[in-house]
Amino acid sequence: MSLETYRLEVRESDTGLDADVYDSEELIAESTHVSYDDFDVEAPDRNGDVSRSEEVTADVTELDVQVQRDDAGFTFELLGDRETLTTVRVDDK
C-alpha cells in the first residue's frame, strides 16, 4: 500500500448526522448515519447547518467510522487498521 489522503466529513441531515469518508479521488470510502432517535436525543435547535471535516494521510488497508455519544454531543472517530486516524466532534449546542 501507499499513503493516501482521507477526509472525514460530518454533516447534519433532517434526522441526524451523516459521516462520510472521502478518498483522494473524492469517492466515498466509508459512510455511516446516526439517527437522533436511535440515541433518544431531540434534534438540536441550531442557527446553521453543521458541517465539519478533518483530513488525514495514512497507509491503511481497512477503514471504519465509530460513533460515540456523551451528554454533550457525538464524536466520530475514523479508524485505519483499527488505529485512530482522526476525530470529529459535534456538540449538541
Coordinates of all heavy atoms in Angstrom, one line a residue:
M1 N 0.8 -1.2 0.0 CA 0.0 0.0 0.0 C 0.9 1.2 0.0 O 2.1 1.2 0.3 CB -0.9 0.0 1.2 CG -2.0 -1.0 1.3 SD -3.2 -1.0 0.0 CE -4.0 0.6 0.3
S2 N 0.2 2.3 -0.3 CA 0.9 3.6 -0.3 C 0.1 4.6 0.5 O -1.1 4.4 0.8 CB 1.1 4.1 -1.7 OG -0.1 4.3 -2.4
L3 N 0.7 5.7 0.8 CA 0.0 6.8 1.6 C -1.2 7.3 0.7 O -1.1 7.5 -0.5 CB 0.9 7.9 1.9 CG 2.0 7.6 3.0 CD1 2.9 8.8 3.1 CD2 1.3 7.3 4.3
E4 N -2.3 7.5 1.4 CA -3.5 8.1 0.8 C -4.1 9.1 1.7 O -4.1 8.9 2.9 CB -4.5 7.0 0.4 CG -5.7 7.6 -0.4 CD -6.3 6.6 -1.3 OE1 -5.9 5.5 -1.4 OE2 -7.3 7.0 -1.9
T5 N -4.7 10.2 1.2 CA -5.3 11.2 2.0 C -6.8 10.9 2.1 O -7.5 10.6 1.0 CB -5.1 12.6 1.4 OG1 -3.7 12.8 1.4 CG2 -5.8 13.6 2.2
Y6 N -7.3 10.9 3.3 CA -8.8 10.7 3.5 C -9.3 11.9 4.2 O -8.6 12.6 5.0 CB -9.0 9.5 4.4 CG -8.5 8.2 3.8 CD1 -7.2 7.7 4.2 CD2 -9.2 7.5 2.9 CE1 -6.8 6.5 3.6 CE2 -8.8 6.3 2.3 CZ -7.5 5.8 2.7 OH -7.1 4.7 2.1
R7 N -10.6 12.2 4.0 CA -11.3 13.3 4.6 C -12.6 12.7 5.3 O -13.4 12.2 4.6 CB -11.7 14.4 3.6 CG -12.3 15.6 4.3 CD -12.6 16.7 3.3 NE -13.9 16.4 2.6 CZ -14.0 16.2 1.3 NH1 -12.9 16.1 0.6 NH2 -15.1 15.9 0.8
L8 N -12.6 12.9 6.6 CA -13.8 12.6 7.4 C -14.7 13.8 7.4 O -14.3 14.8 7.9 CB -13.5 12.1 8.8 CG -14.7 11.9 9.7 CD1 -15.6 10.8 9.2 CD2 -14.1 11.5 11.1
E9 N -15.9 13.7 6.8 CA -16.8 14.9 6.8 C -18.1 14.5 7.5 O -18.7 13.5 7.2 CB -17.1 15.3 5.4 CG -17.9 16.5 5.2 CD -18.0 17.0 3.8 OE1 -16.9 17.0 3.1 OE2 -19.1 17.3 3.4
V10 N -18.5 15.3 8.4 CA -19.8 15.1 9.2 C -20.7 16.2 8.9 O -20.3 17.4 9.0 CB -19.5 15.0 10.7 CG1 -20.8 14.8 11.5 CG2 -18.5 13.8 11.0
R11 N -22.0 15.9 8.5 CA -23.0 16.9 8.1 C -24.3 16.5 8.8 O -24.6 15.4 9.0 CB -23.2 16.9 6.6 CG -22.1 17.4 5.8 CD -22.3 17.3 4.3 NE -22.8 16.0 3.9 CZ -22.1 14.9 3.8 NH1 -20.8 14.9 4.1 NH2 -22.7 13.8 3.4
E12 N -25.1 17.6 9.1 CA -26.4 17.3 9.7 C -27.4 17.1 8.6 O -27.4 17.7 7.6 CB -26.8 18.5 10.6 CG -28.0 18.3 11.4 CD -28.1 19.3 12.5 OE1 -27.8 20.4 12.3 OE2 -28.6 18.9 13.6
S13 N -28.3 16.1 8.9 CA -29.4 15.8 8.0 C -30.7 16.1 8.8 O -30.6 16.5 9.9 CB -29.3 14.4 7.5 OG -29.6 13.5 8.5
D14 N -31.8 15.9 8.1 CA -33.1 16.1 8.8 C -33.3 15.2 10.0 O -34.0 15.6 11.0 CB -34.2 15.9 7.8 CG -34.3 16.9 6.7 OD1 -33.7 18.0 6.9 OD2 -34.9 16.7 5.7
T15 N -32.7 14.0 10.0 CA -33.0 13.1 11.1 C -31.8 12.8 11.9 O -31.9 12.0 12.9 CB -33.5 11.7 10.5 OG1 -32.5 11.2 9.6 CG2 -34.8 11.9 9.7
G16 N -30.6 13.3 11.6 CA -29.4 13.0 12.4 C -28.2 13.6 11.8 O -28.2 14.7 11.3
L17 N -27.1 12.8 11.9 CA -25.8 13.2 11.3 C -25.3 12.2 10.4 O -25.4 11.0 10.6 CB -24.8 13.4 12.5 CG -25.2 14.4 13.5 CD1 -24.3 14.3 14.8 CD2 -25.0 15.8 12.9
D18 N -24.8 12.6 9.2 CA -24.1 11.7 8.2 C -22.6 11.9 8.3 O -22.2 13.1 8.4 CB -24.6 12.1 6.8 CG -26.1 11.9 6.6 OD1 -26.6 10.9 7.2 OD2 -26.7 12.6 5.9
A19 N -21.9 10.8 8.3 CA -20.5 10.9 8.3 C -20.0 10.1 7.1 O -20.3 8.9 6.9 CB -19.9 10.2 9.6
D20 N -19.2 10.8 6.2 CA -18.6 10.2 5.0 C -17.1 10.3 5.0 O -16.6 11.4 5.5 CB -19.2 10.8 3.8 CG -20.7 10.6 3.6 OD1 -21.2 9.5 3.9 OD2 -21.4 11.6 3.2
V21 N -16.5 9.3 4.6 CA -15.0 9.3 4.4 C -14.7 9.3 2.9 O -15.1 8.4 2.2 CB -14.3 8.1 5.1 CG1 -12.8 8.2 4.9 CG2 -14.7 8.0 6.6
Y22 N -14.0 10.4 2.5 CA -13.7 10.5 1.1 C -12.2 10.2 0.9 O -11.4 10.6 1.7 CB -13.9 11.9 0.6 CG -15.4 12.3 0.6 CD1 -16.0 12.9 1.7 CD2 -16.2 12.1 -0.5 CE1 -17.3 13.3 1.7 CE2 -17.6 12.5 -0.5 CZ -18.1 13.0 0.6 OH -19.4 13.4 0.6
D23 N -11.9 9.5 -0.2 CA -10.5 9.2 -0.5 C -10.0 10.4 -1.4 O -10.7 11.4 -1.6 CB -10.4 7.9 -1.2 CG -11.1 7.7 -2.6 OD1 -11.4 8.8 -3.2 OD2 -11.2 6.6 -3.0
S24 N -8.7 10.2 -1.9 CA -8.1 11.3 -2.6 C -8.8 11.6 -4.0 O -8.6 12.6 -4.6 CB -6.6 11.0 -2.8 OG -6.5 9.7 -3.5
E25 N -9.6 10.6 -4.5 CA -10.3 10.8 -5.7 C -11.7 11.3 -5.5 O -12.6 11.3 -6.4 CB -10.3 9.5 -6.5 CG -9.0 9.1 -6.9 CD -9.0 7.7 -7.6 OE1 -10.1 7.1 -7.8 OE2 -7.9 7.3 -8.0
E26 N -12.0 11.7 -4.2 CA -13.3 12.2 -3.8 C -14.4 11.2 -3.9 O -15.6 11.5 -4.1 CB -13.7 13.5 -4.6 CG -12.9 14.7 -4.3 CD -13.0 15.1 -2.8 OE1 -14.1 15.2 -2.3 OE2 -12.0 15.3 -2.1
L27 N -14.1 9.9 -3.8 CA -15.0 8.8 -3.8 C -15.3 8.5 -2.3 O -14.4 8.5 -1.5 CB -14.5 7.6 -4.5 CG -14.3 7.8 -6.0 CD1 -13.6 6.6 -6.6 CD2 -15.6 8.1 -6.7
I28 N -16.5 8.1 -2.0 CA -16.8 7.7 -0.6 C -16.2 6.3 -0.3 O -16.6 5.3 -1.0 CB -18.3 7.7 -0.4 CG1 -18.9 9.1 -0.5 CG2 -18.6 7.1 1.0 CD1 -20.4 9.2 -0.3
A29 N -15.3 6.3 0.6 CA -14.7 5.0 1.0 C -15.4 4.3 2.2 O -15.3 3.1 2.4 CB -13.2 5.3 1.4
E30 N -16.1 5.1 3.0 CA -16.8 4.6 4.2 C -17.9 5.6 4.5 O -17.7 6.8 4.3 CB -15.8 4.4 5.4 CG -16.4 3.7 6.6 CD -16.7 2.3 6.3 OE1 -16.1 1.6 5.5 OE2 -17.7 1.8 6.9
S31 N -19.0 5.1 5.1 CA -20.1 6.0 5.4 C -20.9 5.5 6.5 O -21.0 4.3 6.7 CB -21.0 6.2 4.1 OG -22.0 7.1 4.4
T32 N -21.5 6.4 7.3 CA -22.4 6.0 8.4 C -23.4 7.1 8.6 O -23.2 8.2 8.3 CB -21.7 5.6 9.7 OG1 -22.6 4.9 10.5 CG2 -21.1 6.7 10.4
H33 N -24.5 6.7 9.2 CA -25.6 7.7 9.6 C -26.0 7.5 11.0 O -26.1 6.3 11.5 CB -26.8 7.5 8.7 CG -28.0 8.4 9.1 ND1 -28.0 9.7 8.9 CD2 -29.1 8.1 9.9 CE1 -29.2 10.2 9.4 NE2 -29.8 9.2 10.0
V34 N -26.1 8.5 11.8 CA -26.5 8.5 13.2 C -27.9 9.2 13.2 O -28.0 10.3 12.9 CB -25.5 9.2 14.1 CG1 -26.1 9.3 15.5 CG2 -24.2 8.5 14.1
S35 N -28.9 8.4 13.7 CA -30.2 9.0 13.8 C -30.4 9.5 15.3 O -30.0 8.8 16.2 CB -31.3 7.9 13.5 OG -32.6 8.3 13.9
Y36 N -30.9 10.7 15.4 CA -31.1 11.2 16.8 C -32.1 10.3 17.5 O -31.9 10.1 18.7 CB -31.7 12.6 16.7 CG -30.8 13.7 16.2 CD1 -31.2 14.5 15.2 CD2 -29.5 13.8 16.7 CE1 -30.3 15.5 14.7 CE2 -28.6 14.7 16.2 CZ -29.0 15.6 15.2 OH -28.1 16.5 14.7
D37 N -33.1 9.7 16.9 CA -34.0 8.8 17.5 C -33.3 7.6 18.1 O -33.7 7.1 19.2 CB -35.1 8.3 16.5 CG -36.0 9.4 16.2 OD1 -36.1 10.4 16.9 OD2 -36.7 9.2 15.1
D38 N -32.3 7.1 17.5 CA -31.5 5.9 18.0 C -30.9 6.2 19.3 O -30.6 5.2 20.1 CB -30.5 5.4 17.0 CG -31.1 4.8 15.7 OD1 -32.3 4.5 15.7 OD2 -30.3 4.6 14.7
F39 N -30.6 7.4 19.6 CA -29.9 7.8 20.8 C -30.9 8.5 21.8 O -30.4 9.1 22.8 CB -28.7 8.7 20.5 CG -27.5 7.9 20.0 CD1 -27.4 7.7 18.6 CD2 -26.5 7.4 20.8 CE1 -26.4 7.0 18.0 CE2 -25.5 6.7 20.2 CZ -25.4 6.5 18.9
D40 N -32.2 8.5 21.4 CA -33.2 9.2 22.2 C -32.8 10.6 22.5 O -32.9 11.1 23.6 CB -33.4 8.4 23.5 CG -34.8 8.7 24.1 OD1 -35.7 9.1 23.3 OD2 -34.9 8.6 25.3
V41 N -32.4 11.3 21.4 CA -32.0 12.7 21.5 C -32.8 13.6 20.6 O -33.1 13.1 19.4 CB -30.5 12.9 21.1 CG1 -30.1 14.3 21.0 CG2 -29.6 12.1 22.0
E42 N -33.3 14.7 21.0 CA -34.0 15.6 20.2 C -33.0 16.4 19.3 O -31.9 16.7 19.7 CB -34.8 16.6 21.0 CG -36.0 16.0 21.7 CD -36.9 17.1 22.3 OE1 -36.9 18.2 21.8 OE2 -37.4 16.8 23.4
A43 N -33.5 16.6 18.1 CA -32.6 17.4 17.1 C -32.3 18.7 17.7 O -33.2 19.5 18.1 CB -33.3 17.5 15.8
P44 N -31.0 19.1 17.8 CA -30.7 20.4 18.4 C -31.2 21.6 17.5 O -31.3 21.4 16.3 CB -29.1 20.4 18.3 CG -28.8 19.0 18.1 CD -29.9 18.3 17.4
D45 N -31.6 22.6 18.2 CA -32.0 23.8 17.5 C -30.8 24.7 17.2 O -30.3 25.4 18.1 CB -33.0 24.6 18.4 CG -33.6 25.8 17.7 OD1 -33.7 25.8 16.4 OD2 -34.1 26.7 18.4
R46 N -30.3 24.6 16.0 CA -29.1 25.3 15.6 C -29.4 26.4 14.6 O -30.4 26.3 13.9 CB -28.1 24.3 14.9 CG -27.6 23.3 15.9 CD -26.4 22.5 15.2 NE -25.8 21.7 16.1 CZ -26.0 20.3 16.2 NH1 -26.8 19.8 15.3 NH2 -25.3 19.6 17.0
N47 N -28.6 27.4 14.6 CA -28.8 28.6 13.7 C -28.2 28.3 12.3 O -28.4 29.1 11.4 CB -28.1 29.8 14.2 CG -28.9 30.3 15.5 OD1 -30.0 30.0 15.6 ND2 -28.2 31.0 16.3
G48 N -27.6 27.2 12.1 CA -27.0 26.9 10.8 C -26.7 25.4 10.7 O -26.8 24.6 11.6
D49 N -26.4 25.0 9.5 CA -26.1 23.6 9.2 C -24.7 23.2 9.8 O -23.8 24.0 9.8 CB -26.1 23.3 7.7 CG -27.4 23.4 7.1 OD1 -28.4 23.1 7.8 OD2 -27.5 23.6 5.9
V50 N -24.7 22.0 10.3 CA -23.4 21.5 10.9 C -22.6 20.9 9.7 O -23.2 20.1 8.9 CB -23.6 20.5 12.0 CG1 -22.4 19.7 12.3 CG2 -24.2 21.1 13.2
S51 N -21.4 21.3 9.5 CA -20.5 20.6 8.6 C -19.1 20.8 9.1 O -18.6 21.9 9.2 CB -20.7 21.3 7.2 OG -19.8 20.6 6.3
R52 N -18.5 19.6 9.4 CA -17.2 19.6 10.0 C -16.4 18.6 9.2 O -16.9 17.5 8.9 CB -17.1 19.4 11.5 CG -17.8 20.5 12.3 CD -17.6 20.2 13.8 NE -18.1 21.3 14.6 CZ -19.3 21.6 14.8 NH1 -20.3 21.0 14.1 NH2 -19.7 22.6 15.6
S53 N -15.1 18.8 9.0 CA -14.3 17.8 8.4 C -12.8 17.9 8.9 O -12.4 18.9 9.4 CB -14.3 18.0 6.9 OG -13.7 19.2 6.5
E54 N -12.2 16.7 8.8 CA -10.8 16.6 9.1 C -10.1 15.7 8.0 O -10.7 14.7 7.6 CB -10.6 15.9 10.5 CG -11.0 16.7 11.7 CD -10.0 17.9 11.9 OE1 -8.8 17.7 11.6 OE2 -10.5 18.9 12.5
E55 N -8.9 16.1 7.7 CA -8.1 15.3 6.7 C -7.0 14.6 7.4 O -6.4 15.1 8.3 CB -7.6 16.2 5.6 CG -8.5 16.4 4.5 CD -7.8 17.1 3.3 OE1 -6.6 17.2 3.2 OE2 -8.5 17.5 2.4
V56 N -6.6 13.4 6.8 CA -5.5 12.7 7.4 C -4.9 11.9 6.2 O -5.6 11.5 5.3 CB -6.0 11.7 8.5 CG1 -7.0 10.7 8.0 CG2 -4.8 11.1 9.2
T57 N -3.6 11.7 6.3 CA -2.9 10.9 5.3 C -2.3 9.7 6.0 O -1.7 9.8 7.1 CB -1.7 11.7 4.7 OG1 -2.3 12.8 4.0 CG2 -1.0 10.8 3.6
A58 N -2.7 8.5 5.5 CA -2.3 7.2 6.1 C -2.1 6.1 5.1 O -2.6 6.2 4.0 CB -3.3 6.8 7.1
D59 N -1.4 5.1 5.5 CA -1.2 3.9 4.8 C -1.9 2.8 5.5 O -1.4 2.2 6.4 CB 0.3 3.6 4.7 CG 0.7 2.3 3.9 OD1 -0.3 1.7 3.3 OD2 1.8 1.9 3.9
V60 N -3.2 2.6 5.0 CA -4.1 1.6 5.7 C -4.8 0.7 4.7 O -4.9 1.1 3.5 CB -5.1 2.3 6.6 CG1 -4.4 3.0 7.8 CG2 -6.0 3.2 5.8
T61 N -5.2 -0.4 5.1 CA -6.0 -1.3 4.2 C -7.5 -1.4 4.6 O -8.3 -1.8 3.8 CB -5.4 -2.7 4.3 OG1 -5.4 -3.2 5.6 CG2 -4.0 -2.7 3.7
E62 N -7.8 -1.0 5.8 CA -9.2 -1.1 6.3 C -9.6 0.2 7.0 O -8.8 0.7 7.9 CB -9.3 -2.2 7.3 CG -10.6 -2.5 7.9 CD -10.6 -3.7 8.9 OE1 -9.9 -4.7 8.6 OE2 -11.3 -3.5 9.9
L63 N -10.7 0.7 6.7 CA -11.3 1.9 7.3 C -12.6 1.6 8.0 O -13.3 0.7 7.6 CB -11.6 3.0 6.2 CG -10.4 3.6 5.5 CD1 -10.9 4.5 4.4 CD2 -9.5 4.4 6.4
D64 N -12.8 2.4 9.1 CA -14.1 2.2 9.8 C -14.4 3.5 10.5 O -13.5 4.2 10.9 CB -13.9 1.1 10.9 CG -15.2 0.7 11.5 OD1 -16.3 0.9 10.9 OD2 -15.2 0.2 12.6
V65 N -15.7 3.8 10.7 CA -16.1 5.0 11.4 C -16.8 4.6 12.6 O -17.8 3.8 12.5 CB -17.0 5.9 10.5 CG1 -17.4 7.1 11.4 CG2 -16.2 6.4 9.3
Q66 N -16.4 5.0 13.8 CA -17.0 4.6 15.1 C -17.7 5.9 15.6 O -17.1 7.0 15.5 CB -16.0 4.1 16.1 CG -15.3 2.9 15.7 CD -16.2 1.7 15.7 OE1 -16.9 1.5 16.7 NE2 -16.2 0.9 14.7
V67 N -18.8 5.7 16.2 CA -19.6 6.9 16.8 C -19.8 6.6 18.3 O -20.1 5.6 18.7 CB -21.0 7.0 16.1 CG1 -21.7 8.2 16.7 CG2 -20.8 7.1 14.6
Q68 N -19.5 7.7 19.1 CA -19.7 7.6 20.5 C -20.6 8.8 20.9 O -20.4 9.9 20.3 CB -18.4 7.7 21.2 CG -17.5 6.5 20.9 CD -16.2 6.6 21.6 OE1 -15.8 7.6 22.2 NE2 -15.4 5.5 21.5
R69 N -21.4 8.6 21.9 CA -22.3 9.7 22.4 C -22.0 9.9 23.8 O -21.8 8.9 24.6 CB -23.7 9.2 22.2 CG -24.8 10.1 22.9 CD -25.1 11.3 22.1 NE -26.0 12.1 22.9 CZ -26.1 13.4 22.8 NH1 -25.5 14.0 21.8 NH2 -26.9 14.1 23.5
D70 N -21.9 11.2 24.2 CA -21.9 11.5 25.7 C -23.0 12.5 25.9 O -23.8 12.8 25.1 CB -20.5 12.0 26.1 CG -20.0 13.3 25.4 OD1 -20.9 14.0 24.9 OD2 -18.8 13.5 25.3
D71 N -23.0 13.1 27.1 CA -24.1 14.0 27.5 C -24.1 15.3 26.6 O -25.2 16.0 26.6 CB -23.9 14.5 28.9 CG -24.2 13.3 29.9 OD1 -24.9 12.3 29.5 OD2 -23.8 13.4 31.0
A72 N -23.0 15.7 26.0 CA -23.0 16.9 25.3 C -22.9 16.8 23.7 O -23.0 17.8 23.0 CB -21.8 17.7 25.7
G73 N -22.8 15.6 23.2 CA -22.7 15.5 21.7 C -22.2 14.2 21.3 O -22.1 13.2 22.0
F74 N -21.8 14.2 20.0 CA -21.3 13.0 19.3 C -19.8 13.1 18.9 O -19.4 14.2 18.5 CB -22.1 12.7 18.0 CG -23.5 12.3 18.3 CD1 -24.5 13.3 18.3 CD2 -23.9 11.0 18.4 CE1 -25.8 13.0 18.5 CE2 -25.2 10.7 18.6 CZ -26.2 11.6 18.7
T75 N -19.1 12.0 19.0 CA -17.7 12.0 18.5 C -17.6 10.9 17.4 O -18.0 9.8 17.6 CB -16.7 11.7 19.6 OG1 -16.8 12.7 20.6 CG2 -15.3 11.7 19.1
F76 N -17.2 11.3 16.2 CA -16.9 10.4 15.1 C -15.5 10.2 15.0 O -14.7 11.1 14.9 CB -17.5 11.0 13.8 CG -19.0 11.2 13.8 CD1 -19.5 12.3 14.4 CD2 -19.8 10.3 13.2 CE1 -20.9 12.5 14.4 CE2 -21.1 10.4 13.2 CZ -21.7 11.5 13.8
E77 N -15.1 8.9 15.1 CA -13.7 8.5 15.1 C -13.4 7.7 13.8 O -14.0 6.7 13.6 CB -13.4 7.7 16.3 CG -12.0 7.3 16.5 CD -11.8 6.6 17.8 OE1 -12.7 6.0 18.4 OE2 -10.6 6.6 18.3
L78 N -12.5 8.2 13.0 CA -12.0 7.4 11.8 C -10.9 6.5 12.2 O -9.9 7.0 12.7 CB -11.6 8.4 10.7 CG -11.0 7.7 9.4 CD1 -12.0 6.8 8.8 CD2 -10.5 8.8 8.4
L79 N -11.1 5.2 12.0 CA -10.1 4.2 12.3 C -9.5 3.7 11.0 O -10.2 3.4 10.0 CB -10.7 3.0 13.1 CG -11.4 3.3 14.4 CD1 -12.0 2.1 15.0 CD2 -10.5 4.0 15.4
G80 N -8.2 3.5 11.0 CA -7.5 2.9 9.9 C -6.7 1.7 10.5 O -5.9 1.9 11.4
D81 N -7.1 0.5 10.0 CA -6.4 -0.7 10.5 C -6.5 -0.7 12.1 O -5.6 -1.1 12.8 CB -5.0 -0.9 10.1 CG -4.9 -1.0 8.6 OD1 -5.8 -1.5 7.9 OD2 -3.8 -0.7 8.0
R82 N -7.7 -0.4 12.6 CA -8.1 -0.4 14.0 C -7.4 0.7 14.8 O -7.5 0.6 16.1 CB -7.9 -1.8 14.6 CG -8.8 -2.8 13.9 CD -8.7 -4.1 14.6 NE -9.4 -5.1 13.8 CZ -9.0 -6.3 13.7 NH1 -7.9 -6.8 14.2 NH2 -9.8 -7.2 13.0
E83 N -6.6 1.6 14.2 CA -6.0 2.7 14.9 C -6.7 4.0 14.6 O -7.1 4.2 13.5 CB -4.5 2.8 14.5 CG -3.7 1.6 14.8 CD -3.4 1.3 16.2 OE1 -3.3 2.4 17.0 OE2 -3.3 0.2 16.7
T84 N -6.8 4.9 15.6 CA -7.4 6.2 15.4 C -6.6 7.0 14.5 O -5.4 7.3 14.7 CB -7.6 6.9 16.7 OG1 -8.4 6.1 17.6 CG2 -8.3 8.2 16.5
L85 N -7.2 7.5 13.4 CA -6.6 8.4 12.4 C -7.0 9.8 12.7 O -6.1 10.7 12.7 CB -6.9 8.0 11.0 CG -6.6 6.6 10.5 CD1 -7.1 6.4 9.1 CD2 -5.1 6.4 10.6
T86 N -8.2 10.1 13.0 CA -8.7 11.4 13.3 C -10.1 11.4 13.9 O -10.8 10.3 13.8 CB -8.7 12.3 12.0 OG1 -8.9 13.7 12.4 CG2 -9.8 11.9 11.0
T87 N -10.5 12.5 14.5 CA -11.9 12.5 15.1 C -12.5 13.8 14.7 O -11.9 14.8 14.5 CB -11.9 12.4 16.6 OG1 -11.1 13.5 17.2 CG2 -11.3 11.1 17.1
V88 N -13.9 13.8 14.7 CA -14.7 15.0 14.5 C -15.7 15.0 15.6 O -16.4 14.0 15.8 CB -15.4 15.0 13.1 CG1 -16.4 16.1 13.0 CG2 -14.3 15.1 12.0
R89 N -15.8 16.1 16.3 CA -16.8 16.3 17.4 C -17.9 17.2 17.0 O -17.7 18.2 16.4 CB -16.0 16.9 18.6 CG -16.9 17.2 19.8 CD -17.1 16.1 20.7 NE -18.0 16.6 21.8 CZ -18.6 15.8 22.5 NH1 -18.6 14.5 22.4 NH2 -19.4 16.2 23.5
V90 N -19.1 16.8 17.3 CA -20.3 17.6 17.0 C -21.1 17.7 18.4 O -21.6 16.8 18.9 CB -21.2 17.0 16.0 CG1 -22.5 17.9 15.8 CG2 -20.5 16.8 14.6
D91 N -21.0 18.9 18.9 CA -21.7 19.2 20.2 C -23.2 19.5 19.9 O -23.6 19.9 18.8 CB -21.1 20.4 20.9 CG -19.7 20.0 21.4 OD1 -19.5 18.9 21.9 OD2 -18.8 20.9 21.4
D92 N -24.0 19.2 20.9 CA -25.5 19.4 20.8 C -25.8 20.9 20.6 O -26.9 21.2 20.0 CB -26.2 18.9 22.0 CG -26.2 17.4 22.0 OD1 -25.9 16.7 21.0 OD2 -26.4 16.8 23.1
K93 N -25.1 21.8 21.2 CA -25.4 23.2 21.1 C -24.5 24.0 20.2 O -23.4 23.6 19.9 CB -25.4 23.8 22.5 CG -26.4 23.2 23.4 CD -26.5 23.9 24.7 CE -27.3 23.0 25.6 NZ -28.4 23.5 26.2

